[in-house]
């Protein structure tokens, strides 16, 4: 799943920061997993209740933990451990209460901090991230034209449950568009049809509220994140290079604007992209991670220019 997480360090829009969007996206993805866990366990499926419970700690916590307030780290992590081991040891109703304690406590405090100062463009980016994540998991869940991987399909459903919530902060029409995607999930339409509809929904946000530079920034951030997930997370050099190439294409669309505003920053970011490419070609993970960290730092500064 991690290789399909989208734009997690992607976009600064309006008064929001890259860290805000990154944290808010991961928190919403976590809530989507927990939605799937509670729903499955309530329906009598211990297997999928446990599986989705573990995703929050195993796949997302290491990305969330550095970004939450220090005083939240211990209670947040303790709750995630309790949640991971609860299905099968407590009744579904009690499990739902355990999950609610996290969501109404440490999770809610972290979420409030993540969205502080957010504007419409922030929620466009956040909702787009959730829709794109649902698209990837729906494709994995419906491979072969049937629900071949229930876990991935359920993740897609959980992510859209949060996308509807966030889309309401954009406009009533945006929320209705997400609901169309939920109906498509329910009807288990083909992967191609779902992907096309998801892309149309995201495009509708951008046409109504955003601008090309904002979308290129979002996709540039996605490319950086995907490159790391492919190369470091999956050990796939070729796929890492392919994702990096996608990021470079987006950068080329933004480069002239950034150069006009801050030529030193543009040159620095360009060099870090080259260093990342060279590191992957040499299969030097340490050098890659160093270059990636520098590129992400530059990316945060670049985003402030738009």
């Amino acid at each position: 799943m991690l290789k399909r997480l989208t734009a997690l360090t992607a976009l600064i829009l309006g008064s929001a920061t890259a860290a805000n969007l990154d944290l808010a996206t991961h928190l919403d993805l976590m809530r989507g997993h927990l939605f799937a866990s509670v729903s499955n366990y309530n329906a009598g499926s211990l297997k999928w209740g446990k599986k989705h419970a573990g995703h929050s700690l195993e796949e997302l916590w290491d990305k969330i933990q550095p970004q939450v307030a220090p005083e939240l780290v211990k209670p947040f992590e303790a709750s995630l451990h309790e949640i991971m081991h609860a299905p099968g040891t407590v009744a579904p109703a009690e499990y739902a209460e355990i999950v609610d304690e996290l969501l109404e406590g440490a999770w809610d405090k972290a979420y409030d901090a993540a969205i502080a100062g957010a504007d419409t463009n922030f929620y466009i980016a956040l909702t787009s991230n959730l829709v794109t994540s649902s698209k990837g998991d729906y494709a994995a869940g419906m491979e072969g034209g049937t629900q071949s991987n229930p876990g991935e399909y359920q993740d897609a459903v959980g992510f859209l449950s949060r996308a509807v919530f966030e889309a309401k902060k954009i406009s009533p029409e945006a929320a209705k568009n997400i609901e169309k995607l939920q109906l498509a999930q329910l009807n288990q339409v083909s992967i191609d049809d779902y992907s096309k509809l998801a892309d149309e929904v995201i495009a509708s946000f951008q046409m109504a509220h955003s601008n090309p530079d904002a979308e290129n920034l979002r996709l540039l951030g996605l490319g950086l994140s995907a490159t790391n997930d492919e190369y470091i997370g999956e050990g796939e050099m070729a796929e890492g290079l392919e994702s990096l190439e996608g990021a470079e294409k987006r950068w080329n669309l933004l480069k002239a604007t950034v150069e006009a505003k801050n030529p030193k920053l543009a040159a620095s970011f360009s060099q870090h992209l080259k260093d990342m490419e060279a590191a992957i070609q040499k299969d030097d993970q340490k050098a890659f991670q160093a270059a990636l960290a520098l590129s992400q730092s530059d990316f945060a500064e670049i985003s402030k220019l738009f």
Side-chain angles (χ1 to χ4, degrees):
M1 175 195 160
L2 284 178
K3 65 190 291 184
R4 290 186 298 277
L5 293 182
T6 60
L8 300 180
T9 53
L11 181 61
I12 294 180
L13 289 172
S15 57
T17 67
N20 290 147
L21 181 61
D22 182 56
L23 179 57
T25 301
H26 281 105
L27 287 168
D28 269 339
L29 291 172
M30 175 178 284
R31 189 150 186 162
H33 282 304
L34 294 174
F35 174 86
S37 177
V38 171
S39 298
N40 274 277
Y41 195 34
N42 280 338
S45 175
L46 174 60
K47 173 184 176 180
W48 293 111
K50 288 180 68 69
K51 188 173 182 65
H52 291 294
H55 284 165
S56 294
L57 182 64
E58 296 165 351
E59 296 184 0
L60 293 171
W61 176 237
D62 65 333
K63 296 182 182 297
I64 291 173
Q65 186 270 329
Q67 301 183 67
V68 301
E71 64 270 18
L72 294 180
V73 172
K74 287 186 178 180
F76 208 134
E77 187 167 359
S79 291
L80 290 177
H81 278 284
E82 183 180 12
I83 286 169
M84 184 171 69
H85 297 293
T89 64
V90 300
E94 185 178 348
Y95 176 59
E97 291 178 359
I98 292 172
V99 171
D100 283 343
E101 286 179 7
L102 169 66
L103 296 179
E104 295 171 5
W107 186 96
D108 194 51
K109 291 177 181 178
Y111 177 78
D112 284 346
I115 64 171
D119 59 8
T120 299
N121 280 333
F122 179 94
Y123 290 113
I124 289 172
L126 178 55
T127 306
S128 297
N129 286 349
L130 296 170
V131 170
T132 308
S133 290
S134 82
K135 184 173 73 170
D137 281 46
Y138 187 84
M142 293 293 294
E143 188 174 357
T146 62
Q147 195 183 128
S148 54
N149 189 326
E152 299 285 6
Y153 174 85
Q154 292 158 10
D155 281 341
V157 171
F159 298 158
L160 276 198
S161 73
R162 288 305 294 175
V164 170
F165 176 83
E166 302 296 2
K168 290 177 181 178
K169 302 172 187 177
I170 302 172
S171 69
E173 185 63 30
K176 289 179 181 178
N177 285 335
I178 301 296
E179 289 168 359
K180 292 178 183 176
L181 279 172
Q182 289 183 306
L183 182 60
Q185 286 181 338
L186 181 64
N187 291 331
Q188 297 190 16
V189 301
S190 71
I191 292 172
D192 288 343
D193 285 348
Y194 185 82
S195 179
K196 180 181 179 181
L197 181 58
D199 289 343
E200 290 173 353
V201 168
I202 292 174
S204 72
F205 299 157
Q206 301 299 330
M207 286 188 292
H209 300 282
S210 195
N211 59 72
D213 283 343
E215 179 65 359
N216 285 324
L217 274 170
R218 190 181 76 85
L219 293 173
L220 174 56
L222 167 60
L224 293 176
S225 179
T227 301
N228 179 63
D229 290 339
E230 298 286 3
Y231 177 50
I232 299 298
E234 302 292 333
E236 296 287 347
M237 293 175 60
E239 292 184 13
L241 287 170
E242 183 178 349
S243 294
L244 183 58
E245 182 181 356
E248 289 171 340
K249 288 180 179 179
R250 294 297 168 176
W251 171 237
N252 288 335
L253 295 173
L254 295 166
K255 187 175 179 180
T257 302
V258 176
E259 285 178 330
K261 297 179 178 181
N262 191 328
K264 184 177 179 180
L265 181 60
S268 176
F269 186 75
S270 293
Q271 184 60 53
H272 296 324
L273 290 180
K274 292 178 181 178
D275 291 342
M276 289 169 62
E277 181 178 1
I280 296 176
Q281 290 174 338
K282 294 178 182 178
D283 197 15
D284 187 338
Q285 293 192 3
K286 184 176 181 180
F288 169 82
Q289 290 174 314
L292 174 65
L294 292 171
S295 72
Q296 289 175 327
S297 177
D298 280 355
F299 180 80
E301 296 304 311
I302 288 169
S303 298
K304 294 176 183 177
L305 302 176
F306 293 88

Short mmCIF file of all heavy atoms in Angstrom, two decimals, residues 35-74:
data_model
loop_
_atom_site.label_atom_id
_atom_site.label_comp_id
_atom_site.label_asym_id
_atom_site.label_seq_id
_atom_site.Cartn_x
_atom_site.Cartn_y
_atom_site.Cartn_z
N PHE A 35 -11.78 2.95 10.16
CA PHE A 35 -13.17 2.78 9.71
C PHE A 35 -13.37 1.37 9.15
O PHE A 35 -14.35 0.69 9.47
CB PHE A 35 -13.49 3.83 8.64
CG PHE A 35 -14.84 3.68 8.00
CD1 PHE A 35 -15.97 4.24 8.56
CD2 PHE A 35 -14.98 2.97 6.80
CE1 PHE A 35 -17.22 4.11 7.96
CE2 PHE A 35 -16.22 2.82 6.20
CZ PHE A 35 -17.35 3.40 6.78
N ALA A 36 -12.42 0.93 8.31
CA ALA A 36 -12.51 -0.40 7.73
C ALA A 36 -12.41 -1.47 8.80
O ALA A 36 -13.10 -2.50 8.75
CB ALA A 36 -11.41 -0.59 6.68
N SER A 37 -11.55 -1.24 9.79
CA SER A 37 -11.36 -2.22 10.86
C SER A 37 -12.62 -2.39 11.69
O SER A 37 -13.11 -3.52 11.90
CB SER A 37 -10.20 -1.79 11.76
OG SER A 37 -10.03 -2.68 12.84
N VAL A 38 -13.17 -1.28 12.16
CA VAL A 38 -14.38 -1.34 12.98
C VAL A 38 -15.56 -1.91 12.20
O VAL A 38 -16.31 -2.75 12.70
CB VAL A 38 -14.73 0.06 13.52
CG1 VAL A 38 -16.10 0.05 14.20
CG2 VAL A 38 -13.66 0.53 14.52
N SER A 39 -15.71 -1.49 10.94
CA SER A 39 -16.82 -1.97 10.12
C SER A 39 -16.75 -3.48 9.91
O SER A 39 -17.75 -4.18 10.02
CB SER A 39 -16.81 -1.26 8.76
OG SER A 39 -17.00 0.13 8.90
N ASN A 40 -15.55 -3.98 9.62
CA ASN A 40 -15.39 -5.41 9.40
C ASN A 40 -15.62 -6.22 10.67
O ASN A 40 -16.28 -7.27 10.65
CB ASN A 40 -14.00 -5.71 8.84
CG ASN A 40 -13.93 -5.58 7.34
OD1 ASN A 40 -14.28 -6.49 6.60
ND2 ASN A 40 -13.47 -4.42 6.87
N TYR A 41 -15.07 -5.74 11.78
CA TYR A 41 -15.22 -6.48 13.04
C TYR A 41 -16.68 -6.48 13.48
O TYR A 41 -17.20 -7.51 13.96
CB TYR A 41 -14.33 -5.85 14.10
CG TYR A 41 -14.11 -6.73 15.32
CD1 TYR A 41 -14.04 -8.12 15.21
CD2 TYR A 41 -13.97 -6.17 16.58
CE1 TYR A 41 -13.84 -8.93 16.32
CE2 TYR A 41 -13.77 -6.96 17.70
CZ TYR A 41 -13.71 -8.34 17.56
OH TYR A 41 -13.50 -9.14 18.66
N ASN A 42 -17.38 -5.36 13.28
CA ASN A 42 -18.81 -5.31 13.60
C ASN A 42 -19.60 -6.28 12.74
O ASN A 42 -20.62 -6.82 13.17
CB ASN A 42 -19.35 -3.89 13.40
CG ASN A 42 -19.04 -2.98 14.57
OD1 ASN A 42 -18.79 -3.44 15.68
ND2 ASN A 42 -19.06 -1.68 14.33
N ALA A 43 -19.11 -6.49 11.50
CA ALA A 43 -19.81 -7.39 10.58
C ALA A 43 -19.44 -8.85 10.81
O ALA A 43 -19.95 -9.74 10.10
CB ALA A 43 -19.50 -7.00 9.14
N GLY A 44 -18.58 -9.12 11.77
CA GLY A 44 -18.23 -10.49 12.11
C GLY A 44 -16.94 -11.01 11.51
O GLY A 44 -16.64 -12.20 11.64
N SER A 45 -16.17 -10.14 10.86
CA SER A 45 -14.92 -10.58 10.25
C SER A 45 -13.74 -10.23 11.14
O SER A 45 -13.24 -9.10 11.13
CB SER A 45 -14.73 -9.94 8.86
OG SER A 45 -13.46 -10.29 8.33
N LEU A 46 -13.29 -11.19 11.91
CA LEU A 46 -12.13 -10.98 12.77
C LEU A 46 -10.87 -10.78 11.92
O LEU A 46 -10.03 -9.92 12.24
CB LEU A 46 -11.94 -12.17 13.71
CG LEU A 46 -10.66 -12.17 14.57
CD1 LEU A 46 -10.62 -10.94 15.47
CD2 LEU A 46 -10.58 -13.46 15.39
N LYS A 47 -10.74 -11.54 10.84
CA LYS A 47 -9.56 -11.47 9.99
C LYS A 47 -9.30 -10.05 9.51
O LYS A 47 -8.21 -9.50 9.69
CB LYS A 47 -9.72 -12.40 8.78
CG LYS A 47 -8.61 -12.27 7.75
CD LYS A 47 -8.88 -13.15 6.53
CE LYS A 47 -7.80 -12.93 5.46
NZ LYS A 47 -8.06 -13.78 4.26
N TRP A 48 -10.33 -9.44 8.90
CA TRP A 48 -10.11 -8.11 8.33
C TRP A 48 -10.18 -7.03 9.39
O TRP A 48 -9.56 -5.97 9.24
CB TRP A 48 -11.11 -7.87 7.20
CG TRP A 48 -10.84 -8.77 6.03
CD1 TRP A 48 -11.60 -9.80 5.59
CD2 TRP A 48 -9.68 -8.73 5.19
NE1 TRP A 48 -11.01 -10.42 4.52
CE2 TRP A 48 -9.83 -9.77 4.25
CE3 TRP A 48 -8.55 -7.92 5.13
CZ2 TRP A 48 -8.88 -10.02 3.26
CZ3 TRP A 48 -7.60 -8.16 4.15
CH2 TRP A 48 -7.78 -9.20 3.23
N GLY A 49 -10.89 -7.28 10.46
CA GLY A 49 -10.86 -6.33 11.57
C GLY A 49 -9.45 -6.19 12.13
O GLY A 49 -8.98 -5.08 12.38
N LYS A 50 -8.77 -7.33 12.29
CA LYS A 50 -7.39 -7.31 12.79
C LYS A 50 -6.43 -6.71 11.77
O LYS A 50 -5.53 -5.94 12.12
CB LYS A 50 -6.95 -8.73 13.16
CG LYS A 50 -7.60 -9.29 14.40
CD LYS A 50 -7.11 -10.70 14.71
CE LYS A 50 -5.64 -10.72 15.12
NZ LYS A 50 -5.44 -10.09 16.43
N LYS A 51 -6.61 -7.08 10.52
CA LYS A 51 -5.67 -6.64 9.50
C LYS A 51 -5.67 -5.11 9.37
O LYS A 51 -4.63 -4.47 9.35
CB LYS A 51 -6.01 -7.28 8.15
CG LYS A 51 -4.97 -7.01 7.07
CD LYS A 51 -5.28 -7.80 5.82
CE LYS A 51 -4.23 -7.58 4.74
NZ LYS A 51 -2.91 -8.10 5.13
N HIS A 52 -6.85 -4.53 9.30
CA HIS A 52 -6.94 -3.08 9.17
C HIS A 52 -6.51 -2.38 10.45
O HIS A 52 -5.99 -1.27 10.41
CB HIS A 52 -8.36 -2.67 8.79
CG HIS A 52 -8.75 -3.08 7.40
ND1 HIS A 52 -8.16 -2.56 6.28
CD2 HIS A 52 -9.67 -3.97 6.96
CE1 HIS A 52 -8.70 -3.10 5.20
NE2 HIS A 52 -9.62 -3.97 5.59
N ALA A 53 -6.72 -3.01 11.59
CA ALA A 53 -6.28 -2.41 12.85
C ALA A 53 -4.76 -2.26 12.87
O ALA A 53 -4.23 -1.26 13.36
CB ALA A 53 -6.73 -3.28 14.03
N GLY A 54 -4.07 -3.24 12.32
CA GLY A 54 -2.60 -3.19 12.32
C GLY A 54 -2.02 -2.18 11.35
O GLY A 54 -0.90 -1.69 11.55
N HIS A 55 -2.76 -1.84 10.29
CA HIS A 55 -2.22 -0.92 9.28
C HIS A 55 -1.85 0.44 9.86
O HIS A 55 -0.85 1.03 9.46
CB HIS A 55 -3.26 -0.71 8.17
CG HIS A 55 -3.36 -1.86 7.22
ND1 HIS A 55 -4.41 -2.02 6.34
CD2 HIS A 55 -2.55 -2.92 7.02
CE1 HIS A 55 -4.23 -3.12 5.64
NE2 HIS A 55 -3.12 -3.69 6.04
N SER A 56 -2.66 0.92 10.80
CA SER A 56 -2.40 2.25 11.35
C SER A 56 -1.04 2.34 12.00
O SER A 56 -0.30 3.31 11.82
CB SER A 56 -3.49 2.62 12.36
OG SER A 56 -4.74 2.75 11.72
N LEU A 57 -0.69 1.31 12.75
CA LEU A 57 0.60 1.31 13.44
C LEU A 57 1.73 0.92 12.49
O LEU A 57 2.80 1.55 12.48
CB LEU A 57 0.56 0.35 14.64
CG LEU A 57 1.83 0.28 15.50
CD1 LEU A 57 2.09 1.62 16.17
CD2 LEU A 57 1.68 -0.81 16.56
N GLU A 58 1.50 -0.08 11.68
CA GLU A 58 2.56 -0.65 10.86
C GLU A 58 2.91 0.19 9.64
O GLU A 58 4.06 0.19 9.19
CB GLU A 58 2.16 -2.06 10.42
CG GLU A 58 2.01 -3.04 11.59
CD GLU A 58 1.26 -4.30 11.19
OE1 GLU A 58 0.71 -4.34 10.07
OE2 GLU A 58 1.20 -5.24 12.01
N GLU A 59 1.94 0.91 9.09
CA GLU A 59 2.18 1.62 7.83
C GLU A 59 2.21 3.14 7.97
O GLU A 59 2.85 3.81 7.15
CB GLU A 59 1.10 1.25 6.81
CG GLU A 59 1.12 -0.22 6.40
CD GLU A 59 0.10 -0.53 5.32
OE1 GLU A 59 -0.61 0.40 4.90
OE2 GLU A 59 0.02 -1.69 4.90
N LEU A 60 1.55 3.68 8.99
CA LEU A 60 1.38 5.13 9.03
C LEU A 60 2.03 5.82 10.22
O LEU A 60 2.40 6.99 10.13
CB LEU A 60 -0.12 5.47 9.01
CG LEU A 60 -0.85 5.12 7.72
CD1 LEU A 60 -2.35 5.29 7.88
CD2 LEU A 60 -0.34 5.97 6.56
N TRP A 61 2.15 5.12 11.32
CA TRP A 61 2.60 5.80 12.54
C TRP A 61 4.01 6.38 12.40
O TRP A 61 4.29 7.48 12.90
CB TRP A 61 2.56 4.85 13.73
CG TRP A 61 3.10 5.45 15.01
CD1 TRP A 61 4.12 4.99 15.78
CD2 TRP A 61 2.63 6.65 15.67
NE1 TRP A 61 4.33 5.80 16.86
CE2 TRP A 61 3.43 6.83 16.82
CE3 TRP A 61 1.64 7.58 15.39
CZ2 TRP A 61 3.25 7.91 17.69
CZ3 TRP A 61 1.46 8.66 16.25
CH2 TRP A 61 2.26 8.81 17.38
N ASP A 62 4.91 5.70 11.70
CA ASP A 62 6.26 6.23 11.58
C ASP A 62 6.31 7.53 10.78
O ASP A 62 7.24 8.31 10.90
CB ASP A 62 7.20 5.19 10.96
CG ASP A 62 6.84 4.84 9.53
OD1 ASP A 62 5.65 4.97 9.16
OD2 ASP A 62 7.74 4.43 8.77
N LYS A 63 5.29 7.78 9.97
CA LYS A 63 5.21 9.03 9.23
C LYS A 63 4.51 10.12 10.03
O LYS A 63 4.78 11.31 9.86
CB LYS A 63 4.49 8.80 7.90
CG LYS A 63 5.23 7.85 6.97
CD LYS A 63 4.50 7.69 5.65
CE LYS A 63 5.23 6.71 4.74
NZ LYS A 63 6.58 7.15 4.37
N ILE A 64 3.59 9.73 10.89
CA ILE A 64 2.85 10.68 11.71
C ILE A 64 3.64 11.12 12.93
O ILE A 64 3.65 12.30 13.29
CB ILE A 64 1.50 10.05 12.13
CG1 ILE A 64 0.58 9.90 10.92
CG2 ILE A 64 0.82 10.87 13.22
CD1 ILE A 64 -0.70 9.14 11.21
N GLN A 65 4.30 10.17 13.56
CA GLN A 65 4.95 10.42 14.86
C GLN A 65 5.89 11.64 14.88
O GLN A 65 5.81 12.45 15.81
CB GLN A 65 5.71 9.16 15.30
CG GLN A 65 6.30 9.24 16.69
CD GLN A 65 7.71 9.80 16.69
OE1 GLN A 65 8.44 9.61 15.71
NE2 GLN A 65 8.11 10.49 17.74
N PRO A 66 6.74 11.84 13.85
CA PRO A 66 7.63 13.01 13.93
C PRO A 66 6.92 14.35 13.82
O PRO A 66 7.50 15.39 14.12
CB PRO A 66 8.57 12.80 12.72
CG PRO A 66 8.46 11.36 12.36
CD PRO A 66 7.04 11.01 12.68
N GLN A 67 5.66 14.34 13.38
CA GLN A 67 4.96 15.59 13.10
C GLN A 67 3.95 15.99 14.16
O GLN A 67 3.41 17.10 14.11
CB GLN A 67 4.25 15.49 11.75
CG GLN A 67 5.18 15.20 10.59
CD GLN A 67 4.44 15.17 9.27
OE1 GLN A 67 3.94 16.18 8.80
NE2 GLN A 67 4.35 14.00 8.67
N VAL A 68 3.67 15.12 15.11
CA VAL A 68 2.70 15.48 16.15
C VAL A 68 3.41 16.10 17.33
O VAL A 68 4.63 15.95 17.51
CB VAL A 68 1.88 14.25 16.60
CG1 VAL A 68 1.13 13.63 15.43
CG2 VAL A 68 2.76 13.21 17.28
N ALA A 69 2.64 16.82 18.15
CA ALA A 69 3.21 17.45 19.34
C ALA A 69 3.82 16.39 20.24
O ALA A 69 3.26 15.30 20.39
CB ALA A 69 2.12 18.21 20.09
N PRO A 70 4.97 16.67 20.84
CA PRO A 70 5.67 15.66 21.66
C PRO A 70 4.79 15.02 22.74
O PRO A 70 4.91 13.83 23.01
CB PRO A 70 6.82 16.47 22.28
CG PRO A 70 7.07 17.57 21.31
CD PRO A 70 5.73 17.93 20.76
N GLU A 71 3.91 15.83 23.34
CA GLU A 71 3.09 15.28 24.42
C GLU A 71 2.03 14.30 23.93
O GLU A 71 1.43 13.56 24.71
CB GLU A 71 2.39 16.42 25.18
CG GLU A 71 1.39 17.22 24.38
CD GLU A 71 2.02 18.43 23.68
OE1 GLU A 71 3.27 18.45 23.54
OE2 GLU A 71 1.27 19.33 23.28
N LEU A 72 1.82 14.24 22.61
CA LEU A 72 0.84 13.30 22.05
C LEU A 72 1.45 11.96 21.66
O LEU A 72 0.72 11.00 21.45
CB LEU A 72 0.17 13.91 20.81
CG LEU A 72 -0.71 15.14 21.01
CD1 LEU A 72 -1.27 15.59 19.67
CD2 LEU A 72 -1.84 14.85 21.99
N VAL A 73 2.77 11.91 21.55
CA VAL A 73 3.42 10.72 21.00
C VAL A 73 3.12 9.46 21.82
O VAL A 73 2.66 8.44 21.28
CB VAL A 73 4.94 10.93 20.87
CG1 VAL A 73 5.63 9.62 20.48
CG2 VAL A 73 5.23 12.00 19.83
N LYS A 74 3.35 9.50 23.11
CA LYS A 74 3.16 8.31 23.93
C LYS A 74 1.71 7.86 23.99
O LYS A 74 1.42 6.66 23.78
CB LYS A 74 3.73 8.54 25.34
CG LYS A 74 5.25 8.56 25.39
CD LYS A 74 5.76 8.63 26.82
CE LYS A 74 7.28 8.59 26.86
NZ LYS A 74 7.80 8.67 28.25
#
